[in-house]
Amino acid sequence: MRFDIITLFPDFFTSPLSSGLLGKALIKQIAAVHLVNPRNFTTDKHHKVDDEPYGGGVGMLMKLEPIFAAVESLPILPRREVILMTPQGQTINQPLLRELTTSYDQLVIICGSYEGVDERVLHLVTREVSLGDFVLTGGEIPALALINGVVRLLPGTVGKVESLKAESFEAGLLDYPQYTRPADFRGWKVPDVLLSGNHQQIAHWRYEQQIERTHQRRPDLYENWLNSDGAQEPEKL
Ligand code: ADE
């Protein structure tokens, strides 16, 4: 998977892209990230990348020409999506990450800054994506969240494929509680079933916990799960 990030703040990405599992995945060339600064595509002597909005209003908008020039400088892979990070877009969720991972070889991600971008940038864009119903100062953090979530799903990033399948959201349920040593910390004990060695009982308990937690914490997800094909009573497992 190739990512091209269009950003006025390429330095912002240095540490997140070199740390942890994401950093390892990039070293292993599971994915490649290219950072492109629209400022390098300005033609005026002040390298101007923002301007006032027509009609007045607060703040500045990102200018079109440097963004177009930056995107048009990129190679074009066959299965390519050009994404604008914006609070107006579709919210990132696990099905969206899965779709991006399986359907594309190249994700061009445009990070808006200031008060946003000139609307005509949408002529370049095939999809608008949001991190959630809140406003940040720019699209860099949302872009990092998207890259992280997509790379995590690529084969070879996470050790065991099972650890992807079983966890939150992949089955439409929240994750079950997990514990590691010690079995007793200040009187807070690990549930007996997890020490039992009975794998069938453990799987059953975990599934029950997932259903219970989702019901309590995320009634919206629970309703969707109940109406989905994958929903099964724990007794029937
Ligand atoms: N830019 C600013 N806020 C954002 C958000 N919530 N999602 C995506 N891009 C953004």
Side-chain angles (χ1 to χ4, degrees), residues 85-87 129-132 134-136 138-139 142:
M85 302 311 303
T86 163
V129 173
S130 169
L131 186 55
F134 47 85
V135 182
L136 303 174

Side-chain angles (χ1 to χ4, degrees), residues 4-8 10 34-38 40-41 70-71 73-74:
D4 294 282
I5 312 175
I6 313 295
T7 173
L8 293 174
H34 300 261
L35 296 160
V36 185
N37 191 340
N40 297 337
F41 293 84
V71 172
S73 76
L74 300 171

Side-chain angles (χ1 to χ4, degrees), residues 84-92 110-114 116 128-143:
L84 175 67
M85 302 311 303
T86 163
Q88 275 71 242
Q90 96 188 88
T91 310
I92 299 178
I110 302 173
C111 304
S113 295
Y114 313 120
E128 295 172 76
V129 173
S130 169
L131 186 55
D133 293 338
F134 47 85
V135 182
L136 303 174
T137 57
E140 281 74 14
I141 289 172

